[in-house]
Amino acid sequence: MKDKNLDYSSIIGLILILFVLIIFTYINNNNDNNFSTKLDFNHKKLFEKEKIFFTDKRKKNDFFLLENNVLKIKISSIGGVIHDVFLKKYKAYDPLSFFHTNNLHLIKNSNFLYKLSFLNQKKLKFDTNTLYFNLFSLEKNKISGITTLIIRAKNPYGNGKGYLDYIYTIGEKNQYDIGFSIKSRNFYSKFNKGFYLNLDHKLFPLEKDRDWENSYTQVYYSYKNNLNNDIKYLSEKKTEDKNIYRVNWIAHKQQFFSFILIPEKILKNVFVKSENFSSGDILKRIQFKTFINTENNEGFYLSFRFYFGPLDLNLLKQYQNGFENIIPFGWGFLKWINKYFFLIIFEFLEKTNLNYGIIIILMTVVVKLILSPIAYKQYKLSATMKLIRPEIEKLNEKYKENILKKQRAIMELYHNVGINPMSGCISTLFQIPIFYSLFKFFPTIINLRGKSFLWVEDLTSYDSILKLPFFIPFYGNHVSLLTLLYSFALLIYTKLSNNGKQDFYKKENDYSIPDMNFLLYLMPIIMLFFINSYASALSLYYFTSNIINIGFFFFIKEFMLDEKKIFMKIQEKRIIKHNYWKNIIKKIENKKYKNPTE
C-alpha cells in the first residue's frame, strides 16, 4: 500500500490545533466553574421586595466631591452612597465616532447602591438609603495629603439622639482606591443586634464589542481556606449565586476595569449573585449581602476600601492581595507564558514609544527570532523527509504485503539518515501553548485598549471594513481585513511548505487511503471564521508571523540549507552502513576460514 502525498507532521499539528480550538470554544461557551450553589434561604429571601417603614421626605439631593489625579467621585446626600466615579485617564467607547472618546464613568446614575438594613423584633426593616446625610467635616491632611469627608445622618427614632457617619478618604496622587468607614452612636437601639450590608451593582458596557466585553465580566472573590487564600470566580456566561465563607475581598470585574470591595476584617458569610444580560444597557447585575453581628448597641465601627480602577498588572500587584489574579491571562502554564514571556517582551518594546501596531509587529519579530531554532529544525526535518521519500516509496513497494517489515525498514532508514520523524510533532506541540496563550493575551492588555493602527480603531477589538446586513454563524456580521490578510498569508505559507512533495510520488489510482492534503488548506478557512471577531492585535500578530514564516522559508532554503549536501550525507551514511556490514560479514567469513572445524 503506497503512502499518499501527505506531510504527517503537518497533519498531526493541524489536528492538535483544531483540538485546541474546539476546547477553547467549549471553555468560552460553558461555565467551567464547579462550585457548589447551595444557598442560604434567609439570605436569598432578602433580595426580594422588602417592607420599608421609614421614608425621608426630603427631595433635594446634594452632592459632595472627592478628587485626586486619577479619580473624581461624587457622593449623594440621600443614602450617603457613591453616585458617580469618573476615571480621568481613560475614555469609554463612542459608537458614533467609532473611537474611545466618551468620559469613562465606572459608576453613574445610581447603578451602584449600598445600604445597611436593620430589623426590629417585629421583622420590620429600616434601610439607610432613606436617610439624608449632612456634611459634618471635610479636611485634608497636609502631611499625608489624604482628604477625609464625613457625612452624618441622624437617628430617625432617637428623638434627636444618635447618628450614623459615613467616612470617605482619598489620597491626593494616583490612587484608585478610597477608604469607606461606617461609624454609629446610639443609632439602632430599637433594632436587633446586627444588620445586613447590601450592595447592588449594575455594570454598563464600556467597550466596542458588548458581547465580547460581557464574556470578560464576572465576579472574582478571595476567601481564606485553612491557612491559604484561594481565589475563585462565578460564571461569566450564566446567572449564578453562591454562599461564600471567610471572604477577604470581592471584585466586580469587567474587561479592563474593576470594582473591588476590600473589608478591613474578614467577612464570615457572604451571599453573592451574578445575573447575566445578553442584551440591553446592562452587562451584569451583581448583588451582595452579608450579615454584620454587633455586640454593643451603643455603637459600631466598620472599615472597607473600594477600588475603582484599571486592570493593570503592575498596579494591582502593589496592593499585595492577589488582585492581579483577576486578569484572565489563561489557566495553568498558559498564564505563566503570558505573564513572564509575552508581557515582558511587550513592556520592553513599549518603552520605544512607537505606535502600538508597530510594537506588536516588533513583538512578533522578537518571538519568531527566539523560536527560530525550532523553525529551522522543523524545516530541516521537512527537507530531509522530502529527500528520502523515493527510498520510502521503494520500501512501500518492496514490503507492501508485510506491514511489520515495512515499518522496521522505514525506521531503520530514519535511523541511518539521523532523523526522528516525531520531532516535527514535538515542535508543533511546543508551539501550541504559545498559539493559545495569545488568544488570552491581547484582549486583556489595557495598554492596547483604544489604541489605533492604520484602519484599526481599537487593537483589543475586531477591525471592520464592511458591516454585513446579516449574521453568519461563527463568523459574525462584519468583515475583518486583518483576518482576511492573515488567512491569505497562512494559505500562501501552507502552499509553499507543501509544494513539490507530489514530485516524489506516482500518480496511481489507489483509493485505499484518502488524500488528506486538503486538511492543510482547510486551516486558513477555519481561522478566517474563528478569529474574525477576536482582537485585531491577534490577527495582526498572526499575519506578521506568517509573513515572517514565508521569509524564513526562502531564507532557510536559499542560504541555510543545501539540499544537495543533505542528500550527499544521506548517501555517505548509507555507504558507511553498507561498508560496516560488509566488513562484519568479511570478518565472519575469515574467522570460519581460519577455523574450518567450527
Side-chain angles (χ1 to χ4, degrees):
M1 186 182 295
K2 294 185 179 183
D3 291 344
K4 286 290 181 182
N5 176 14
L6 179 63
D7 187 336
Y8 287 97
S9 297
S10 300
I11 294 298
I12 294 173
L14 174 62
I15 293 171
L16 290 171
I17 291 174
L18 289 175
F19 177 76
V20 169
L21 294 179
I22 292 170
I23 294 297
F24 180 82
T25 304
Y26 176 81
I27 291 174
N28 278 272
N29 286 279
N30 291 276
N31 177 25
D32 54 353
N33 191 326
N34 294 320
F35 308 138
S36 171
T37 57
K38 186 178 180 180
L39 305 178
D40 181 88
F41 176 76
N42 292 329
H43 280 190
K44 188 175 182 181
K45 188 176 180 180
L46 286 168
F47 277 122
E48 299 171 359
K49 285 189 175 181
E50 301 160 328
K51 186 175 181 180
I52 299 174
F53 63 92
F54 172 79
T55 303
D56 197 305
K57 295 181 180 180
R58 299 175 184 267
K59 295 182 179 180
K60 183 181 179 182
N61 191 6
D62 297 322
F63 295 100
F64 313 104
L65 298 178
L66 291 174
E67 189 172 0
N68 61 13
N69 293 342
V70 294
L71 290 177
K72 186 175 181 180
I73 298 174
K74 186 186 294 185
I75 298 167
S76 172
S77 61
I78 297 179
V81 299
I82 295 174
H83 183 267
D84 189 283
V85 175
F86 168 54
L87 271 61
K88 296 182 178 180
K89 294 189 175 181
Y90 295 93
K91 296 290 184 179
Y93 182 76
D94 180 9
L96 298 178
S97 66
F98 303 108
F99 290 97
H100 287 76
T101 56
N102 288 340
N103 290 334
L104 196 154
H105 296 265
L106 281 187
I107 307 299
K108 191 174 183 180
N109 298 331
S110 302
N111 68 313
F112 182 74
L113 299 174
Y114 47 96
K115 62 186 179 181
L116 308 183
S117 298
F118 300 92
L119 293 170
N120 66 9
Q121 294 179 352
K122 295 181 180 180
K123 303 300 181 182
L124 295 176
K125 189 167 75 69
F126 161 62
D127 293 332
T128 57
N129 64 345
T130 64
L131 294 178
Y132 190 89
F133 285 79
N134 292 288
L135 176 64
F136 182 77
S137 69
L138 178 62
E139 297 178 352
K140 181 175 182 179
N141 189 307
K142 293 181 180 180
I143 298 175
S144 64
I146 295 176
T147 301
T148 302
L149 168 69
I150 302 177
I151 53 177
R152 175 169 293 182
K154 295 180 180 180
N155 184 357
Y157 301 101
N159 296 322
K161 297 180 180 179
Y163 61 84
L164 178 69
D165 285 349
Y166 280 1
I167 306 167
Y168 294 93
T169 60
I170 188 171
E172 66 176 348
K173 297 184 180 179
N174 300 320
Q175 292 177 251
Y176 285 96
D177 62 304
I178 67 170
F180 173 60
S181 301
I182 305 171
K183 181 181 177 181
S184 77
R185 184 71 177 175
N186 296 325
F187 185 72
Y188 62 107
S189 57
K190 292 185 178 182
F191 300 96
N192 296 334
K193 289 184 178 180
F195 55 88
Y196 283 91
L197 172 62
N198 306 269
L199 188 146
D200 191 335
H201 188 187
K202 299 181 182 69
L203 286 80
F204 299 133
L206 302 170
E207 312 303 331
K208 176 181 177 180
D209 190 336
R210 183 194 186 283
D211 294 336
W212 185 258
E213 183 182 7
N214 201 2
S215 67
Y216 276 87
T217 303
Q218 62 189 128
V219 176
Y220 276 75
Y221 59 91
S222 170
Y223 69 100
K224 198 167 189 62
N225 183 13
N226 297 324
L227 298 177
N228 300 319
N229 294 325
D230 290 343
I231 297 175
K232 302 292 184 180
Y233 50 86
L234 301 186
S235 172
E236 74 277 16
K237 293 289 186 181
K238 300 178 181 178
T239 296
E240 184 178 1
D241 43 30
K242 185 174 179 64
N243 277 324
I244 314 167
Y245 304 95
R246 309 184 72 189
V247 174
N248 296 313
W249 51 261
I250 293 182
H252 303 172
K253 183 195 79 68
Q254 294 183 236
Q255 186 173 357
F256 295 108
F257 302 94
S258 183
F259 159 73
I260 307 176
L261 182 145
I262 313 115
E264 184 180 50
K265 296 181 180 179
I266 290 177
L267 300 178
K268 294 181 180 179
N269 186 9
V270 172
F271 176 79
V272 62
K273 179 180 180 180
S274 175
E275 185 178 1
N276 190 56
F277 293 86
S278 58
S279 61
D281 296 330
I282 301 174
L283 291 175
K284 282 183 174 64
R285 182 185 182 189
I286 299 170
Q287 296 169 283
F288 164 103
K289 185 180 290 291
T290 184
F291 183 76
I292 307 294
N293 190 18
T294 57
E295 298 179 356
N296 186 358
N297 276 347
E298 293 183 357
F300 64 88
Y301 180 81
L302 294 174
S303 184
F304 303 87
R305 294 206 71 80
F306 292 164
Y307 176 87
F308 299 100
L311 293 176
D312 182 284
L313 181 68
N314 296 323
L315 176 62
L316 295 177
K317 277 184 176 180
Q318 296 176 10
Y319 292 90
Q320 299 180 349
N321 279 325
F323 296 158
E324 67 275 9
N325 291 299
I326 70 178
I327 302 177
F329 278 128
W331 48 266
F333 64 94
L334 300 179
K335 179 186 292 186
W336 292 90
I337 293 174
N338 280 329
K339 290 175 66 174
Y340 302 108
F341 181 63
F342 286 119
L343 186 61
I344 290 174
I345 296 173
F346 178 83
E347 289 179 340
F348 174 78
L349 294 172
E350 195 177 24
K351 295 176 182 178
T352 61
N353 294 321
L354 295 170
N355 179 278
Y356 277 91
I358 302 298
I359 289 174
I360 293 172
I361 293 173
L362 292 176
M363 177 181 169
T364 314
V365 173
V366 172
V367 173
K368 297 300 287 188
L369 286 175
I370 293 173
L371 300 178
S372 58
I374 297 176
Y376 172 73
K377 289 182 179 180
Q378 200 166 10
Y379 183 79
K380 184 178 179 180
L381 172 66
S382 178
T384 306
M385 291 288 289
K386 184 170 67 174
L387 291 173
I388 65 172
R389 275 184 180 131
E391 302 296 327
I392 294 176
E393 185 69 15
K394 292 177 182 178
L395 294 175
N396 286 333
E397 182 66 27
K398 182 177 181 181
Y399 298 106
K400 62 182 179 180
E401 302 297 333
N402 193 323
I403 298 177
L404 184 60
K405 284 187 177 181
K406 181 180 71 172
Q407 293 299 326
R408 287 178 178 176
I410 292 174
M411 292 305 297
E412 184 178 359
L413 175 62
Y414 290 156
H415 178 74
N416 291 340
V417 299
I419 64 170
N420 180 5
M422 289 303 296
S423 61
C425 298
I426 295 173
S427 299
T428 302
L429 283 172
F430 183 80
Q431 294 183 65
I432 282 177
I434 294 176
F435 175 85
Y436 176 74
S437 296
L438 292 167
F439 280 88
K440 288 291 185 179
F441 180 77
F442 289 117
T444 57
I445 299 299
I446 192 170
N447 295 30
L448 287 176
R449 179 184 179 272
K451 299 300 188 296
S452 60
F453 176 65
L454 299 178
W455 65 88
V456 179
E457 305 154 5
D458 181 6
L459 286 166
T460 61
S461 184
Y462 61 84
D463 66 298
S464 176
I465 59 169
L466 179 63
K467 193 76 173 177
L468 301 177
F470 49 85
F471 182 85
I472 302 175
F474 302 105
Y475 184 76
N477 61 351
H478 64 275
V479 177
S480 168
L481 179 57
L482 274 176
T483 305
L484 286 173
L485 292 174
Y486 159 57
S487 300
F488 184 66
L490 179 60
L491 179 64
I492 293 175
Y493 176 68
T494 303
K495 177 66 177 176
L496 289 174
S497 60
N498 201 42
N499 190 33
K501 294 176 183 176
Q502 66 274 13
D503 297 339
F504 297 95
Y505 292 89
K506 297 177 182 179
K507 296 182 179 180
E508 297 184 3
N509 295 326
D510 183 1
Y511 300 100
S512 57
I513 299 178
D515 186 355
M516 298 182 66
N517 228 4
F518 75 95
L519 283 177
L520 295 175
Y521 299 100
L522 184 64
M523 191 63 182
I525 300 174
I526 293 174
M527 295 307 296
L528 177 65
F529 276 81
F530 188 73
I531 68 172
N532 188 64
S533 295
Y534 273 70
S536 54
L538 180 70
S539 299
L540 177 60
Y541 179 95
Y542 284 138
F543 169 66
T544 307
S545 177
N546 277 277
I547 293 298
I548 295 173
N549 285 341
I550 294 170
F552 270 174
F553 180 88
F554 288 109
F555 180 79
I556 292 173
K557 183 176 181 180
E558 297 297 329
F559 300 103
M560 299 184 68
L561 279 182
D562 191 330
E563 295 184 357
K564 292 183 179 179
K565 289 184 178 180
I566 294 176
F567 184 76
M568 290 176 64
K569 287 183 179 180
I570 293 173
Q571 297 300 323
E572 288 174 1
K573 288 182 178 180
R574 185 181 290 113
I575 293 171
I576 291 172
K577 183 172 180 64
H578 176 75
N579 292 335
Y580 171 79
W581 286 109
K582 186 176 180 180
N583 292 332
I584 292 294
I585 294 171
K586 188 174 182 180
K587 288 180 181 180
I588 293 173
E589 290 176 348
N590 290 336
K591 188 175 180 181
K592 286 184 177 181
Y593 179 77
K594 292 179 180 179
N595 301 285
T597 58
E598 293 181 1

